[in-house]
Amino acid sequence: MEKRLYIATVALLFVSLVAVYSLSVFTTIYFEASEFTFIKKQLISVIIGLFFLTLFYKMNPYTVFKPLGFALFIGSFIAIVVMLFLPESLVRSVLGAKRWIKFGSISIAPTEFFKYGFVFFIAWSLDRKFNILLKSKNIFNEFIVVLPYFLILIIASAIIAVGQKDLGQVVVLGTTLMILFYLSGRSKTFFTILTLFVALSIVLLIKIAPHRVGRFKGWWVYNQDAILSFLPDTWAQALKVTDTTIPLNMINSANAIHNGSLLGQGIGDGQFKLGYLSEVHTDFILAGISEEVGFVGVLIVVSLFLTVIYNIMKIGSKLNNLNEKLFVYGVASVLSIEFLINAYGITGIIPIKGIAVPLLSYGGSQIIATCMAIGMVLMLSRKVER
């Protein structure tokens, strides 16, 4: 199973290289850059990612796993906090969002590493408190025991959602935390209250940011006719939004997918990547791939991704240590949530959110961080009895 996980990961990285080279053509022309600008950077990221993937795979899980997990959590947490106070010369920001620390020509996004460090810390802590949690007979005691996790999530969410204007990562962290709580055996009442809390927090974070409200309204306009057709006319009219338009990216994403049809237009022959879809090699890479290789090609990509998730889960099911088991399930959760948020966003099922597709989208930090996380899973697979 670890070999299948390794091979599927490498295959997705190869698909990423082909897709980034093909889909970044308009951006390179627009900025008058070399056609190899993005593919060279992505290739370097893939090589570094493969190095960590293989290195971690070969390491001793009995001595390396926990120190590595703590280093990932503490180092990335310090980085996302310090980044808020660094000058513009050291931090690359977009529309006021500080997401990257600059080291010369290299930019690193600490949040990409933090989410896996966060998963490790929660898994480690839940393992230590597992017996205490089992003895918690009422909902109040359950919340008292897990309160520190909420505080960490709230602090991280405030930094990421406000300082970096990245609600998508907050959704990933919050949902992953819920999944880990569920897997650790929390009561249904606890899980229900937690779900409501996370949902209300997301609504609040949307309402305090005008750009998020606008994005949500744009999504609603795109879907309102289909949704409101199931409601009585009086209700439907009250919920109808007329003061905004459908985002062009949402329309063009749907058109790109439709244009791909069954077999696609051919690699390199997509039309909507030519200025119609912004960031087509990052946030909309699945739409770009869909147009060029069609439903069949996307099905192959999804199958590779499902192979990664399935084998991660299979490794987790065979581990006896709760810390390690929860970490592995947490990694699978992060990858699955990010893929679904992106896929649902480009198809209009949910509002579009700037979440990269793991192992596919352009971006060195997410490639390297994801390879490191999968490498840690492969490391733990060495503890599984053959």
Side-chain angles (χ1 to χ4, degrees), residues 122 125-138 141-147 149 180-181 184-187 190 322 326:
I122 297 300
S125 190
L126 283 174
D127 179 30
R128 291 175 68 243
K129 293 188 176 183
F130 184 68
N131 289 328
I132 299 175
L133 287 167
L134 284 179
K135 295 176 183 177
S136 300
K137 299 300 183 182
N138 61 64
N141 288 339
E142 283 190 280
F143 274 101
I144 290 297
V145 174
V146 303
L147 182 60
Y149 309 135
L180 291 179
F181 279 150
S184 65
R186 297 305 84 235
S187 67
F190 173 89
L322 183 62
L326 289 177

Side-chain angles (χ1 to χ4, degrees), residues 231-247:
L231 298 176
D233 288 340
T234 51
W235 283 28
Q237 292 304 316
L239 295 173
K240 205 168 186 66
V241 173
T242 58
D243 61 345
T244 190
T245 57
I246 301 173

Side-chain angles (χ1 to χ4, degrees), residues 37-66:
T37 298
F38 291 97
I39 186 62
K40 285 193 296 185
K41 292 181 179 179
Q42 189 76 342
L43 179 60
I44 292 172
S45 300
V46 167
I47 291 172
I48 295 173
L50 285 173
F51 169 77
F52 281 113
L53 180 75
T54 307
L55 177 66
F56 289 0
Y57 185 8
K58 300 300 180 182
M59 285 182 169
N60 185 346
Y62 295 96
T63 59
V64 176
F65 175 69
K66 284 188 178 180

Side-chain angles (χ1 to χ4, degrees), residues 312-362:
I312 290 176
M313 296 290 286
K314 192 172 182 180
I315 291 170
S317 69
K318 294 181 179 296
L319 291 168
N320 296 318
N321 182 280
L322 183 62
N323 176 11
E324 298 165 351
K325 183 184 289 287
L326 289 177
F327 172 78
V328 172
Y329 286 151
V331 170
S333 298
V334 169
L335 297 177
S336 301
I337 294 164
E338 290 186 332
F339 186 89
L340 290 174
I341 288 176
N342 188 286
Y344 287 169
I346 67 167
T347 52
I349 297 174
I350 62 173
I352 292 174
K353 192 66 200 80
I355 291 286
V357 182
L359 300 172
L360 282 180
S361 294
Y362 173 78

Side-chain angles (χ1 to χ4, degrees), residues 73 76-77 80 110-119 156 160 173:
F73 173 69
S76 58
F77 184 75
I80 65 173
T111 307
E112 295 292 342
F113 299 89
F114 174 74
K115 59 194 175 190
Y116 296 112
F118 177 81
V119 166
I160 296 170
L173 292 176

Side-chain angles (χ1 to χ4, degrees), residues 261-280:
S261 190
L262 185 64
L263 299 176
Q265 299 296 311
I267 296 176
D269 293 332
Q271 301 299 311
F272 284 88
K273 67 184 180 184
L274 302 177
Y276 297 99
L277 274 173
S278 62
E279 307 297 335
V280 67

